[in-house]
Structures are given as C-alpha cells and as structure tokens.
C-alpha cells in the first residue's frame, strides 16, 4: 500500500519552506510526496495516483479545478494561505471559500480560533467534522526560524509596502483578477449587482486601490525622512512580489543608508531588523510573532483605514507622523500583543506538536487505503504524460486567450482570464517565472535536509526525483511496500 500526498504551490518564496516541513512529517509516516508549482502538477490530475491533495486555497473561481480533482477520486484538504488576513468586509471569507467547493473537500484546516470563528460566521450550514484548527505550517515556520536561527538584530529598519495595485495605472486589471478568483468571470456584468456581498467587495476593492495609490506616494516621501532621522541605521525596502522595482528605484534618489532588496528570505529580513514599518502587510503578524516593533505608517485620509485588516491593526502601532515612528523605534519596550497572537495563531512558541504533525496525523486517518503504487520512471518517459503536459500548456497559453474574445457568450465566460492576459499584455509564462524559479534535485534535497532535526535515519533514506515538468517526487526509501 502506498500513501500519496500532493502539494501544489504557487509562490516559491512564500510557500516552499513551510511545505517542506509538511513533507518531512509525511516522510516520517512513509508517505510519497509530490510537490511543485501548481502549473507543474495540474496537467496530471487524472493520471497521478489516488492521493490526498493539500491545496493552498479553494477560492470560488477554482471550482472547475477542484471538481476535476474530486472527480478523479482524490481526497482534497486545504489550508488557506491568505486565511489570516482576509478583506475587511462582512462575510469576507466568501471571497476565499464557497459552499460548492466546501462540499467537495474532506478537511479544512485553520490558522487558529480567529480564522475558524470568522469562517463559521460566513458558512453556518457546514458539517463541522470537516473543520480542524491545526495551526498553519507557515506560522510554524516563522516560529522555527525564530528559535533555531541564531541571527543578531542589526541597527536596521525594514520597510514593507504592499502596493500591488500601485504597480499599474489600470485598476480594472486588479478588479478583474479579484473577481475572477471569486468565480465572477465578467466584472463589467456585475457592476450593478444587487448582492450586498458583491457590492461590498467592489467598494472595498476600489477603496483599496485608491488607498494603495495614495499610500505609495506617502511612502516615497517617508523613506528619505526615515533615512535622515536614523542615519546610523540601515533602511531596507522590501517590495511586494507584485510591485515593479522600478516604481521605487526611479522615485527615490540614492541615499547612503538606503537599499532595496527582496532577494532574502523574508524571515531573515525580519529577524535581523529592529523594527518594521509597513502598510497592511501579512508580514506584520510574522514580525510581531518574532518580537519586533511593528509600525503601520498611515498618513492618508482616515476613510482608508477601512481597507486595513483588523488583524493588522491589532498587531501594529499606527503612526501618522515621522516623529511618531521615531519615538516608537527609539523607546525601549515594544507593545505586548501576546494575548491577541494566541487568539489568531494556534501556536506562538516552539512546540513539539507542530501544525505539520497534526495535519499529517489527519492525513493518516482519511487517506485511501487502496491507493496504488506509482512508477515515476515510467510516468516520466511515457508519451501520454508528455502529451498531457504540452496539451495543457497549449490550451492555457493559446486557446484560452483566443476563446476569451467570446466571453460575451455565457458558455465562454469561463475563459475570461485569457482576456486579462490579452488586455494587460501579460501571460501565464510571465506570471509563472515571477512566482517560481527552477530548483535542481540537489537543491531540493539540500532544503529538506536543512529542515530535518536530528533524525539521522530519515536523512539517509530520503530519495528525491524530478519530473520533466518540474515537480518533485520525494520518498522515504527505507519504507518497504
């Protein structure tokens, strides 16, 4: 009997390391793990062995995909990677989940009580046996880094903007993408929707767009002032993944103690910094957990406070002036948010029983005992496998953009994302390259071994293979079928 686990990821810097911790716990229980960027795995949904899938989200717009996984006799589980900080609107989790998708899922895992309780307010008619507060592998990774890595705090201030909307002059690109995730394939058709939730989401998204554009300009003015106030500190700007570096490089003159860098691991950046100045960033929670002074700089109209997540507000000190930032950084003690952290995260210290262990224990209970053995060498060399991969990519790279010309016909609305690629001069390939760089077998093995604690026996028997599409098959070779 083979126990198979499939972990499709999207953004390498954000998701890979926490996922590797999950892989390690699965290997200890003798699972075979398939892991890679989601576009490397999705072409093979029907041909991969019957498995437990661990998805990073089940947004309404991915219903066709989730239905395909379910119809192929796989078991679906999910932990929403963005579940900790949803939009600041009533029933915000309807943007991340739907009754249709929940019905197809075996287990939904939660970051902590806050995530679980707010989910239940939006989805009251749910079988509670599907729901489990395990904590998140992402949060565990933050904690592990805090405890294990002996990195000294420098005289450094980390600035973390979140201005993905400010990266484009066309707000409709962002609106189309937000509503595509929601399953609404034609944004123009719902502008006059009578749905209260849809109206709230449109208003929120448009307000968020305005807020980011204005806050971006305020941060352009802020940075030289911070550099001047803290001349003996390094001031490091870490742009959001959706931000073009040019939007900062072209606006800020060269300053001796200022640099722009998003190449480092985010945990390392936070760990070596004394304070974090941000705008509505998820990294504010991580920074608070790692014991840093967390400052939300907000000098724009108060109406834009409505776009700031309540979680972010709770873990941050809101400052409206540079002098307030200076006082906060120079004071000896930081604000204590430990009680609130315990509410939003299941774990805030380095525990023996991690989220990864709890999640894998659940996999052990639900997996399909009839799962078959999978021959990776045969799969890698088969004509069918190569055909499926190239067919899937041809459909998405060429046919979908063409069919998107006909989205005025209801049947073709499902191809609206192709219209986004055409209208805004972008592509799937460009998006993929931005989110995921190639990893060699050697580097993947190195990443796994780095995260294994003192389990020498497991270290010896890890086998890593790579599929031609780019995903990895990782096994414990000590396990005998």
């Amino acid at each position: 009997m083979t126990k198979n686990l499939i972990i499709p990821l999207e953004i390498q810097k954000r998701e890979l390391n926490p996922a590797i911790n999950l892989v390690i716990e699965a290997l200890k229980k003798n699972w075979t793990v398939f892991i890679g960027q989601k576009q490397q795995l999705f072409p093979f949904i029907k041909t991969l062995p019957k498995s437990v899938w661990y998805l990073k989200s089940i947004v309404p717009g991915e219903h066709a995909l989730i239905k395909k996984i379910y119809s192929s006799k796989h078991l679906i589980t999910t932990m929403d990677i963005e579940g900790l900080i949803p939009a600041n609107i009533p029933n915000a989790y309807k943007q991340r989940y739907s009754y249709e998708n929940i019905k197809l899922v075996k287990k939904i895992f939660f970051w902590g009580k806050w995530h679980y309780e707010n989910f239940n307010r939006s989805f009251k008619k749910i079988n509670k046996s599907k729901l489990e507060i395990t904590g998140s592998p992402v949060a565990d990774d933050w904690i592990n880094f805090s405890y294990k890595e002996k990195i000294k705090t420098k005289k450094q201030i980390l600035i973390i903007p979140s201005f993905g909307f400010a990266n484009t002059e066309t707000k409709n690109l962002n609106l189309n993408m937000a509503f595509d995730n929601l399953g609404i394939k034609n944004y123009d058709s719902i502008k006059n929707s009578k749905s209260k939730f849809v109206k709230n989401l449109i208003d929120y998204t448009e307000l968020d767009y305005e807020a980011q554009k204005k806050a971006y300009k305020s941060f352009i003015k802020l940075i030289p002032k911070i550099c001047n106030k803290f001349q003996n500190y390094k001031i490091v700007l870490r742009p959001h993944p959706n931000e073009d570096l040019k939007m900062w490089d072209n606006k800020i003159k060269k300053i001796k103690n200022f640099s722009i860098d998003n190449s480092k691991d985010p945990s390392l950046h936070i760990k070596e910094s004394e304070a974090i100045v941000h705008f509505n960033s998820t990294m504010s929670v991580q920074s608070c957990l790692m014991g840093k002074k967390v400052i939300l700089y907000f000098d724009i109209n108060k109406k834009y406070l409505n776009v700031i997540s309540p979680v972010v507000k709770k873990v941050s000190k809101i400052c409206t002036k540079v002098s307030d930032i200076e006082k906060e950084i120079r004071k000896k003690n930081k604000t204590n948010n430990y009680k609130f952290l315990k509410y939003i995260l299941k774990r805030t210290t380095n525990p023996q029983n991690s989220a990864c262990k709890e999640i894998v224990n659940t996999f052990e209970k639900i997996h399909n005992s009839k799962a078959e053995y999978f021959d990776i060498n045969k799969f890698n060399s088969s004509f069918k496998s190569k055909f499926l991969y190239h067919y899937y990519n041809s459909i998405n790279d060429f046919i979908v953009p063409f069919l998107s010309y006909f989205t005025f016909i209801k049947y073709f609305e499902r191809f609206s994302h192709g219209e986004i690629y055409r209208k805004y001069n972008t592509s799937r390939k460009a998006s993929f390259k931005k989110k995921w760089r190639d990893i060699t077998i050697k580097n993947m093995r190195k990443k796994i071994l780095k995260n294994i604690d003192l389990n020498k026996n497991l270290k010896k028997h890890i086998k890593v293979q790579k599929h031609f599409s780019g995903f990895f098959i990782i096994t414990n070779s000590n396990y005998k079928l």
Side-chain angles (χ1 to χ4, degrees):
M1 178 188 74
T2 303
K3 300 180 290 187
N4 301 306
L5 172 62
I6 299 176
I7 309 176
L9 306 174
E10 183 177 13
I11 301 171
Q12 191 176 116
K13 282 184 182 178
R14 177 180 71 175
E15 297 161 32
L16 182 58
N17 211 52
I20 283 174
N21 292 328
L22 191 62
V23 169
I24 291 165
E25 291 304 323
L27 290 173
K28 289 176 184 176
K29 302 275 187 180
N30 298 315
W31 286 71
T32 294
V33 185
F34 301 76
I35 183 170
Q37 214 280 345
K38 60 183 186 178
Q39 301 302 338
Q40 296 168 341
L41 285 158
F42 287 164
F44 310 107
I45 289 170
K46 290 185 176 180
T47 51
L48 283 165
K50 302 300 175 285
S51 308
V52 173
W53 285 64
Y54 178 79
L55 300 180
K56 57 171 277 297
S57 65
I58 52 166
V59 293
E62 292 184 340
H63 179 66
L65 172 73
I66 292 160
K67 190 175 179 182
K68 186 177 179 181
I69 296 170
Y70 178 83
S71 300
S72 300
K73 308 298 181 187
H74 299 293
L75 295 176
I76 303 169
T77 69
T78 183
M79 162 74 76
D80 195 314
I81 193 77
E82 296 177 21
L84 195 60
I85 302 182
N88 190 19
I89 56 172
N91 292 313
Y93 281 118
K94 286 186 178 178
Q95 196 181 4
R96 306 298 306 169
Y97 305 88
S98 68
Y99 277 110
E100 271 187 315
N101 288 347
I102 291 167
K103 189 178 178 182
L104 304 179
V105 170
K106 190 75 175 176
K107 280 286 181 180
I108 301 175
F109 304 116
F110 295 89
W111 287 71
K113 287 181 182 178
W114 191 90
H115 183 193
Y116 177 82
E117 289 171 5
N118 282 278
F119 170 90
N120 276 294
R121 289 189 188 105
S122 295
F123 299 97
K124 294 175 182 176
K125 298 175 183 177
I126 293 295
N127 180 353
K128 296 295 188 287
S129 66
K130 284 178 182 271
L131 315 179
E132 196 171 333
I133 303 174
T134 55
S136 167
V138 175
D140 280 0
D141 191 56
W142 299 343
I143 296 165
N144 289 339
F145 192 92
S146 235
Y147 276 79
K148 288 181 180 179
E149 300 293 333
K150 304 298 179 186
I151 297 159
K152 287 186 178 180
T153 301
K154 302 175 183 177
K155 281 199 166 186
Q156 177 172 296
I157 298 166
L158 183 63
I159 298 176
I160 309 172
S162 293
F163 304 137
F165 278 13
N167 195 29
T168 174
E169 292 301 316
T170 313
K171 72 177 179 181
N172 281 341
L173 170 61
N174 304 288
L175 291 167
N176 271 292
M177 286 182 165
F179 282 95
D180 188 69
N181 266 349
L182 191 59
I184 296 168
K185 300 299 181 183
N186 187 345
Y187 168 64
D188 293 328
S189 71
I190 52 90
K191 282 181 179 176
N192 300 314
S193 171
K194 292 180 181 179
S195 162
K196 194 172 181 180
F197 172 72
V198 170
K199 285 175 74 176
N200 284 339
L201 189 56
I202 291 173
D203 292 344
Y204 171 83
T205 308
E206 292 188 336
L207 191 69
D208 192 20
Y209 174 82
E210 290 173 21
Q212 288 190 37
K213 296 289 275 187
K214 291 181 184 297
Y216 163 61
K217 290 176 183 176
S218 78
F219 269 65
I220 292 289
K221 294 175 184 175
L222 169 72
I223 289 167
K225 293 175 183 176
I226 290 282
C227 292
N228 186 48
K229 290 280 185 186
F230 294 90
Q231 292 185 22
N232 60 334
Y233 279 68
K234 281 178 67 180
I235 313 300
V236 181
L237 175 80
R238 183 185 177 88
H240 187 275
N242 289 335
E243 293 172 9
D244 188 337
L245 294 183
K246 290 177 184 176
M247 66 188 269
W248 296 104
D249 225 7
N250 295 344
K251 294 285 183 180
I252 301 172
K253 292 178 182 178
K254 287 186 178 179
I255 304 170
K256 189 177 180 181
N257 61 333
F258 174 72
S259 62
I260 300 172
D261 181 13
N262 64 357
S263 62
K264 280 187 183 179
D265 183 282
S267 296
L268 177 58
H269 249 159
I270 293 168
K271 181 84 171 176
E272 64 186 17
S273 300
E274 190 175 309
I276 283 78
V277 180
H278 72 97
F279 184 86
N280 207 22
S281 173
T282 309
M283 286 173 70
S284 60
V285 180
Q286 181 180 2
S287 303
C288 184
L289 185 66
M290 293 172 75
K292 303 299 176 178
K293 292 172 182 173
V294 183
I295 298 161
L296 169 62
Y297 181 60
F298 192 93
D299 76 335
I300 56 179
N301 193 302
K302 285 184 179 178
K303 73 176 183 179
Y304 296 117
L305 273 172
N306 289 329
V307 305
I308 306 296
S309 160
V311 169
V312 168
K313 286 179 188 174
K314 283 278 191 181
V315 300
S316 306
K317 174 73 175 177
I318 298 176
C319 292
T320 58
K321 296 183 287 189
V322 178
S323 57
D324 294 338
I325 293 175
E326 185 179 13
K327 283 178 191 174
E328 188 65 22
I329 292 175
R330 294 201 190 279
K331 76 178 187 181
K332 290 183 179 180
N333 300 320
K334 73 175 193 70
T335 307
N336 188 346
N337 294 304
Y338 183 73
K339 189 175 179 181
F340 182 70
L341 281 174
K342 290 276 284 182
Y343 178 44
I344 61 170
L345 302 173
K346 184 167 182 181
R347 295 172 188 82
T348 54
T349 55
N350 196 20
Q352 291 296 315
N353 188 27
S354 67
C356 293
K357 285 180 182 176
E358 284 201 38
I359 290 167
V360 171
N361 285 339
T362 297
F363 294 160
E364 287 280 297
K365 294 172 188 172
I366 67 171
H367 80 91
N368 185 351
S369 60
K370 295 180 181 178
E372 68 269 28
Y373 172 72
F374 184 73
D375 188 335
I376 178 59
N377 296 319
K378 188 176 178 181
F379 183 69
N380 233 345
S381 59
S382 75
F383 171 79
K384 184 180 179 182
S385 182
K386 289 175 181 175
F387 172 78
L388 281 172
Y389 180 68
H390 293 297
Y391 174 75
Y392 176 87
N393 284 297
S394 297
I395 289 282
N396 283 283
D397 292 338
F398 305 110
I399 297 174
V400 168
F402 172 72
L403 292 176
S404 70
Y405 281 105
F406 306 99
T407 52
F408 57 88
I409 302 169
K410 190 167 182 63
Y411 177 80
F412 293 106
E413 281 183 1
R414 71 186 77 180
F415 304 114
S416 65
H417 52 292
E419 187 176 5
I420 294 171
Y421 296 143
R422 285 191 297 101
K423 282 177 73 174
Y424 302 106
N425 197 28
T426 185
S427 68
R428 251 178 91 253
K429 284 183 180 178
S431 176
F432 178 89
K433 284 181 180 178
K434 197 172 181 180
K435 294 173 180 177
W436 198 269
R437 61 179 177 79
D438 187 49
I439 309 171
T440 63
I441 291 177
K442 184 180 177 181
N443 284 341
M444 177 57 85
R445 184 176 174 80
K446 190 176 176 182
K447 283 176 182 290
I448 295 167
L449 293 179
K450 184 185 174 185
N451 284 36
I452 294 175
D453 40 26
L454 300 173
N455 196 325
K456 291 181 181 179
N457 188 48
L458 182 59
K459 282 185 178 183
K460 285 181 188 175
H461 294 100
I462 286 176
K463 185 177 180 183
V464 181
Q465 295 169 280
K466 190 175 182 181
H467 186 256
F468 69 80
S469 70
F471 71 80
F472 293 88
I473 301 92
I474 306 167
T475 54
N476 179 353
S477 63
N478 195 37
Y479 177 59
K480 305 298 180 187
L481 290 174

